[in-house]
Amino acid sequence: MKASVIVVILCLIVQQKNCVSNCHPKCVCNPKILQCKGFNQDDIESDEFANSITTDLERIHITDGDIPELPRNLLGSCADDSSYHLNALKKLDLQNNGIKKINGYALHCMPNLEELSLANNQWVVSTVHTRTFTNIQNLKKLNLSTAFHDEIDSIVHIKHLRLVLLENPFTKLEVLALDNNKLSVYDADTANTMCTFTSLKRLNLAHNILPRLKFYHKRCMPHLEYLDLSYNSISTFESYSNPNGLLFSLDQIQKASNVSVKFFGNQFDCDCHLREFQDWLNRTEVHVLQKDKLTCHDGVLFEKSIMSVPSTEFECFSVDISISEDKSSYRSSYNTAVGVL
Ligand SMILES: *[C@@H]1O[C@H](CO)[C@@H](O)[C@H](O)[C@H]1NC(C)=O
Ligand SMILES: *[C@@H]1O[C@H](CO)[C@@H](O)[C@H](O)[C@H]1NC(C)=O
Ligand SMILES: *[C@@H]1O[C@H](CO)[C@@H](O)[C@H](O)[C@H]1NC(C)=O
């Protein structure tokens, strides 16, 4: 006999009440939408919650609670019962629950999930099971805005996150929000991870502390339409002649897609290296949002609009060791500085 039938019979004997409705008191249960608010750890692990889940559901929202740990088999186990798959489920919203840990197998039995939000949580990525996302390969939208616990070094975050994401070929992912996470590194490894998301259209990296980004135009993000880099710590750009540099890469992407980028709120250092950025702003076909509002962050050109500064005013007064992946020029200018001192 099926477990659910036994439950119904048992509660007919014991309580004769609320047995048919099967809806957790903190939830609103509709045939296709389940909304639960203010859950705690016991609620998420309760039988009443388990009974609220049906295979007809298309959207599940569990929000505004206090759930430190997402349990295994969050929405039921299909391992013991192969007929139990939430095939209709398209959207799972888990925002704002103080989630710190996500156990392996938390997100399975939902093979057609397209949208997952883990926004506003405190996920400690370094403890994460690398196979967290492997069962949701049809995902189109992943919201990890303000999702990570920020006490540990964000370099560790992004490195581990990379492993978690690499484990899963998210080839259908179109929207990825990673904003507000204190991310400080977007290096070649990060670029390679993003490259695996071959359908990506929108990437939000706003409100992090990224000083620079490396892209690989040849293979990466051919469908990119929107890149949000606002409110980061970008002070300057790699030379346009560097094919892994951001500006060159954006121009290559623009040839195939129509891409908009947001740079507002960065800390542009308006020295001689920024002249190249101004030239690029002036000639690129990439749609730069609020182009005229991009301003210099410090020095004599403080708060001047980059577009309005005459190009001769972008001057290098002192030794610059802030950019230059080019080791030889780094070294020679460094030596000069030592010599002067
Ligand atoms: C992600 O979730 C946050 C919090 O609800 C929301 O403000 C933001 O718009 C979402 N991002 C995307 C890309 O949907
Ligand atoms: C490209 O995108 C921008 C911004 O969304 C839009 O204004 C413009 O019309 C688009 N151009 C084409 C050719 O689609
Ligand atoms: C932008 O390009 C035009 C045409 O090449 C040029 O006349 C203008 O001075 C440039 N403006 C800036 C800010 O570089």
Side-chain angles (χ1 to χ4, degrees), residues 225 254 258-260 287 289:
E225 288 171 6
Q254 174 68 23
N258 182 19
V259 52
S260 298
H287 193 76
L289 299 161

PDB file of all heavy atoms in Angstrom, residues 225 254 258-260 287 289, ligand 2:
ATOM      1  N   GLU A 225      23.828  39.564 -23.854  1.00  0.00           N
ATOM      2  CA  GLU A 225      23.089  40.782 -24.206  1.00  0.00           C
ATOM      3  C   GLU A 225      23.243  41.868 -23.154  1.00  0.00           C
ATOM      4  O   GLU A 225      23.084  43.043 -23.435  1.00  0.00           O
ATOM      5  CB  GLU A 225      21.582  40.464 -24.336  1.00  0.00           C
ATOM      6  CG  GLU A 225      21.275  39.660 -25.565  1.00  0.00           C
ATOM      7  CD  GLU A 225      19.839  39.162 -25.588  1.00  0.00           C
ATOM      8  OE1 GLU A 225      19.040  39.532 -24.699  1.00  0.00           O
ATOM      9  OE2 GLU A 225      19.516  38.383 -26.493  1.00  0.00           O
ATOM     10  N   GLN A 254      29.969  41.767 -29.511  1.00  0.00           N
ATOM     11  CA  GLN A 254      29.040  42.676 -30.181  1.00  0.00           C
ATOM     12  C   GLN A 254      28.836  42.326 -31.660  1.00  0.00           C
ATOM     13  O   GLN A 254      27.789  42.573 -32.230  1.00  0.00           O
ATOM     14  CB  GLN A 254      29.553  44.126 -30.034  1.00  0.00           C
ATOM     15  CG  GLN A 254      28.780  45.190 -30.780  1.00  0.00           C
ATOM     16  CD  GLN A 254      27.378  45.401 -30.208  1.00  0.00           C
ATOM     17  OE1 GLN A 254      27.125  45.089 -29.062  1.00  0.00           O
ATOM     18  NE2 GLN A 254      26.470  45.927 -31.027  1.00  0.00           N
ATOM     19  N   ASN A 258      23.873  41.702 -29.601  1.00  0.00           N
ATOM     20  CA  ASN A 258      23.779  43.148 -29.344  1.00  0.00           C
ATOM     21  C   ASN A 258      23.941  43.323 -27.849  1.00  0.00           C
ATOM     22  O   ASN A 258      23.035  43.047 -27.096  1.00  0.00           O
ATOM     23  CB  ASN A 258      22.416  43.657 -29.829  1.00  0.00           C
ATOM     24  CG  ASN A 258      22.249  45.155 -29.642  1.00  0.00           C
ATOM     25  OD1 ASN A 258      23.236  45.889 -29.485  1.00  0.00           O
ATOM     26  ND2 ASN A 258      20.997  45.624 -29.631  1.00  0.00           N
ATOM     27  N   VAL A 259      25.112  43.764 -27.420  1.00  0.00           N
ATOM     28  CA  VAL A 259      25.390  43.733 -25.987  1.00  0.00           C
ATOM     29  C   VAL A 259      25.374  45.118 -25.334  1.00  0.00           C
ATOM     30  O   VAL A 259      25.880  46.090 -25.887  1.00  0.00           O
ATOM     31  CB  VAL A 259      26.698  42.934 -25.695  1.00  0.00           C
ATOM     32  CG1 VAL A 259      27.842  43.407 -26.520  1.00  0.00           C
ATOM     33  CG2 VAL A 259      27.055  42.930 -24.227  1.00  0.00           C
ATOM     34  N   SER A 260      24.735  45.171 -24.168  1.00  0.00           N
ATOM     35  CA  SER A 260      24.731  46.393 -23.364  1.00  0.00           C
ATOM     36  C   SER A 260      25.566  46.135 -22.111  1.00  0.00           C
ATOM     37  O   SER A 260      25.503  45.053 -21.546  1.00  0.00           O
ATOM     38  CB  SER A 260      23.319  46.737 -22.898  1.00  0.00           C
ATOM     39  OG  SER A 260      22.490  46.982 -23.991  1.00  0.00           O
ATOM     40  N   HIS A 287      26.645  48.861 -26.499  1.00  0.00           N
ATOM     41  CA  HIS A 287      25.781  49.863 -25.901  1.00  0.00           C
ATOM     42  C   HIS A 287      26.205  50.080 -24.441  1.00  0.00           C
ATOM     43  O   HIS A 287      25.938  49.242 -23.596  1.00  0.00           O
ATOM     44  CB  HIS A 287      24.345  49.343 -25.987  1.00  0.00           C
ATOM     45  CG  HIS A 287      23.318  50.348 -25.698  1.00  0.00           C
ATOM     46  ND1 HIS A 287      22.951  51.328 -26.600  1.00  0.00           N
ATOM     47  CD2 HIS A 287      22.552  50.543 -24.605  1.00  0.00           C
ATOM     48  CE1 HIS A 287      22.006  52.076 -26.064  1.00  0.00           C
ATOM     49  NE2 HIS A 287      21.745  51.622 -24.858  1.00  0.00           N
ATOM     50  N   LEU A 289      25.674  51.768 -21.099  1.00  0.00           N
ATOM     51  CA  LEU A 289      24.597  52.500 -20.422  1.00  0.00           C
ATOM     52  C   LEU A 289      25.175  53.647 -19.601  1.00  0.00           C
ATOM     53  O   LEU A 289      26.249  53.504 -19.008  1.00  0.00           O
ATOM     54  CB  LEU A 289      23.808  51.535 -19.530  1.00  0.00           C
ATOM     55  CG  LEU A 289      23.143  50.400 -20.312  1.00  0.00           C
ATOM     56  CD1 LEU A 289      22.789  49.238 -19.405  1.00  0.00           C
ATOM     57  CD2 LEU A 289      21.895  50.896 -21.021  1.00  0.00           C
TER      58      LEU A 289
HETATM   59  C1  LIG B   2      20.718  47.000 -29.205  1.00  0.00           C
HETATM   60  O1  LIG B   2      20.353  47.162 -27.830  1.00  0.00           O
HETATM   61  C2  LIG B   2      20.065  48.509 -27.478  1.00  0.00           C
HETATM   62  C3  LIG B   2      19.858  48.557 -25.983  1.00  0.00           C
HETATM   63  O2  LIG B   2      19.002  47.565 -25.558  1.00  0.00           O
HETATM   64  C4  LIG B   2      18.855  48.994 -28.260  1.00  0.00           C
HETATM   65  O3  LIG B   2      18.583  50.342 -27.937  1.00  0.00           O
HETATM   66  C5  LIG B   2      19.149  48.869 -29.763  1.00  0.00           C
HETATM   67  O4  LIG B   2      18.003  49.219 -30.500  1.00  0.00           O
HETATM   68  C6  LIG B   2      19.577  47.452 -30.105  1.00  0.00           C
HETATM   69  N1  LIG B   2      20.023  47.401 -31.477  1.00  0.00           N
HETATM   70  C7  LIG B   2      19.675  46.428 -32.323  1.00  0.00           C
HETATM   71  C8  LIG B   2      20.240  46.500 -33.691  1.00  0.00           C
HETATM   72  O5  LIG B   2      18.943  45.508 -31.993  1.00  0.00           O
END
